Amino acid sequence: MPADPHTDPEAVSAPTPSRAPSRDPSRDPWATLRATTSARIGLGRIGDAMALGDVLAFQSAHALARDAVHAVLDTTALASRIEGDVITVRSEAPDRQTYLRRPDQGRRLHPECEAALPRGDYDAVIVIADGLSATAVATHAIPMLEVLRARLPMLRLAPVVIATQARVAIGDDIGERLGARLCAIMIGERPGLSVADSLGIYLTYAPHRGCRDSARNCISNIHTKGGLSYAAAADTLAWLMREALHRRLTGVNLKEETGTLLSSGV
């Protein structure tokens, strides 16, 4: 006998989206449209209220999003899974609460970390940053990195850099200090109520402090719940990196021309 969510404490305290009641397609005119999107559409009502299953599913998704924002990235565990040299740095934001209130501090490398980034002759540096979803980074950064590295045998790569309390622009500081011609920063994207663990990648040519966002290319929505696959993202990024080095630019003047995103259905 199924648990009664009105009387069973476990049923109320541990809701998941999958526990929302299924609807008979023959009696639900929204069923066909709902099957094409993760958006909450045509939820319906029971009396004056939403169905309890839909309410619990929404609360569960909201809790996952909040957890992702406040989660702490385990840099030791992450570094242990990366082949080769790894450098760990942090931004000027001293803690998570400050990071969320002061985006500007998350964009700047902490001065104490500058000496950890020796200048070299590198085509590119790959930075892994917690961003707004450490959950996304812990889940997707390693498999994404492995797939990407296999597509870049011709490039001289700097040691992988892990950055905490970090936003996209911290890659400018890191790339400039290492002397890398390109910076590709993998970062946890802002969680939504459909996916809390989506990864994004920003690519910048000639990274330097003060670089404009219009000078970056972005690949977003990388996850395993209907998002962009690791392989498709790596194909696109590898193409962008090769073209960026050849044309000496990134951003609005470098358009993705491989067709990978369209062919992947995203």
Side-chain angles (χ1 to χ4, degrees), residues 8-146:
D8 184 344
E10 291 187 2
V12 175
S13 61
T16 63
S18 63
R19 297 180 68 176
S22 60
R23 298 175 174 84
D24 181 356
S26 65
R27 302 176 58 187
D28 183 359
W30 288 91
T32 302
L33 290 176
R34 193 181 297 111
T36 65
T37 177
S38 57
R40 291 172 170 78
I41 59 174
L43 297 182
R45 309 183 72 84
I46 296 178
D48 293 333
M50 294 177 60
L52 179 61
D54 292 330
V55 173
L56 294 178
F58 180 89
Q59 291 176 341
S60 176
H62 187 249
L64 290 173
R66 288 179 61 87
D67 286 348
V69 169
H70 293 283
V72 176
L73 181 63
D74 187 341
T75 57
T76 302
L78 188 66
S80 68
R81 298 170 61 195
I82 297 174
E83 183 178 348
D85 295 335
V86 178
I87 300 171
T88 301
V89 300
R90 67 183 189 279
S91 74
E92 290 185 355
D95 52 54
R96 198 64 178 169
Q97 293 303 316
T98 305
Y99 169 79
L100 295 174
R101 292 195 302 267
R102 293 287 305 272
D104 57 314
Q105 292 189 3
R107 298 184 183 110
R108 296 192 295 267
L109 181 69
H110 195 286
E112 293 180 358
C113 299
E114 294 175 357
L117 300 168
R119 194 171 185 82
D121 182 19
Y122 303 117
D123 291 318
V125 57
I126 298 173
V127 179
I128 300 175
D130 51 2
L132 288 171
S133 176
T135 304
V137 174
T139 305
H140 303 300
I142 297 301
M144 184 68 236
L145 177 65
E146 293 174 348

